[in-house]
Amino acid sequence: MMDKSEKFALGVSSLLLAVFFLAIIYMQVIQNIDVPTCITDVEPFTTDTLFQVGEDEYELHMIARMWAFQPSSVTLPVGSTVHLYVTSIDIIHGFKIENKNVNLMAVPGAINYIPVTFEEEGEYFFACHEFCGAAHHAMAGRIIIADTDETQSAGGQP
Amino acid sequence: MEDSENKSEEFIPRGAVAFFIVMIVVFTLMWFSIYFEVLSRG
């Protein structure tokens, strides 16, 4: 027969695991927070592009290379949802946007995807978080969310 | 001999239970602090 204290420990542990599991389901389904997806069956793009795919929805193809992001500066209106596709044209890089749930690897030969919505105005810095060589520290850029209808992507070209 | 058996039956591992409760509370706080940070970033 199981000891009373063991039953207590088992019960509390199981309850906590259930709470954690339900919290993750809530985050994924109700809050719609996605995890990055690796797309391997599409040929990686070699030019960066930004285009509108719907009302307040944009598709951004981001290229990482030694040692810059292309584009390095993107301007979008408040409330934009960006379908972000990231790849690399040389070695493995990282891509992380400050204060957002965006943390991707930029891998040559593969595309990583995540949707991200910018509800608040401001500048969101992004940077490479995978050490990639001598100028790794300079590999950064910014997404500017402004109260405007204009979109712009620039910079980072070799 | 009988006394010893009675004591064994009445034994409650208070230290282990206290440690377990503290551990669960600390793990929960750590886990939810990261969880709410993720939620706040949208």
Side-chain angles (χ1 to χ4, degrees), chain A:
Chain A
M1 192 180 134
M2 194 183 276
D3 183 77
K4 213 167 85 177
S5 303
E6 285 178 339
K7 272 187 193 167
F8 169 74
L10 193 65
V12 171
S13 304
S14 304
L15 183 70
L16 197 62
L17 284 176
V19 169
F20 287 171
F21 182 72
L22 290 174
I24 289 171
I25 298 294
Y26 168 80
M27 183 175 83
Q28 182 86 40
V29 177
I30 311 292
Q31 294 289 320
N32 208 19
I33 294 175
D34 287 312
V35 292
T37 310
C38 182
I39 302 166
T40 52
D41 57 348
V42 175
E43 192 68 22
F45 40 85
T46 52
T47 53
D48 59 297
T49 45
L50 172 68
F51 53 93
Q52 193 160 3
V53 291
E55 195 184 349
D56 294 332
E57 278 194 51
Y58 300 87
E59 195 167 310
L60 174 61
H61 292 181
M62 175 73 73
I63 291 172
R65 60 178 175 78
M66 290 190 289
W67 287 283
F69 285 106
Q70 216 175 299
S72 60
S73 176
V74 178
T75 304
L76 292 165
V78 177
S80 297
T81 296
V82 181
H83 298 278
L84 183 63
Y85 294 84
V86 178
T87 192
S88 168
I89 54 170
D90 41 44
I91 61 168
I92 293 177
H93 298 277
F95 181 82
K96 176 159 174 49
I97 302 178
E98 178 189 47
N99 295 328
K100 299 299 284 182
N101 286 325
V102 175
N103 186 341
L104 300 171
M105 298 303 294
V107 182
I111 300 167
N112 282 320
Y113 165 77
I114 195 165
V116 53
T117 301
F118 296 94
E119 299 286 6
E120 289 177 23
E121 202 172 334
E123 285 192 7
Y124 296 83
F125 289 93
F126 58 83
C128 175
H129 62 69
E130 183 74 23
F131 182 72
C132 56
H136 163 70
H137 62 281
M139 196 170 163
R142 60 187 180 161
I143 295 172
I144 302 159
I145 303 299
D147 191 12
T148 172
D149 289 335
E150 287 180 19
T151 63
Q152 190 185 337
S153 69
Q157 280 79 13

